[in-house]
Amino acid sequence: MITELGEDADCAAWIYTKNDCHLKDKDGEVDYDNVVEDPALIARIFDDVGNVDYIYQVIQEAVDEVVEEQLVQYQQELVEAA
């Protein structure tokens, strides 16, 4: 992608780490101070997450929506500036 788009291409990324894998407490509430530490379990978690097409679909839909909104806004600004 860097070769195709160039080193200075705009981009966005969503990064999750093991610190985002929170365990729940005894009441079933997310305990943000208690994260998964086992490397094998972390690998399994992110392998599963990476295979969830829904995530990519939602991200693409969000990008498409923002592209359309920004294009309309940009075109309106050009008309107003003329």
Side-chain angles (χ1 to χ4, degrees), residues 8-74:
D8 296 328
D10 294 321
C11 70
W14 289 263
I15 298 174
Y16 291 87
T17 69
K18 70 177 187 175
N19 293 339
D20 296 299
C21 299
H22 305 286
L23 301 173
K24 293 184 179 181
D25 64 18
K26 61 182 166 98
D27 299 321
E29 299 294 321
V30 176
D31 180 356
Y32 291 101
D33 295 324
N34 192 4
V35 297
V36 176
E37 295 291 342
D38 184 281
L41 181 54
I42 293 166
R44 289 174 58 166
I45 290 166
F46 284 113
D47 183 54
D48 277 355
V49 169
N51 290 319
V52 176
D53 290 337
Y54 178 73
I55 292 169
Y56 303 109
Q57 177 184 346
V58 171
I59 292 170
Q60 186 61 55
E61 288 171 359
V63 170
D64 293 344
E65 183 178 327
V66 172
V67 167
E68 184 64 28
E69 290 172 359
Q70 290 300 317
L71 178 61
V72 169
Q73 182 178 350
Y74 180 70

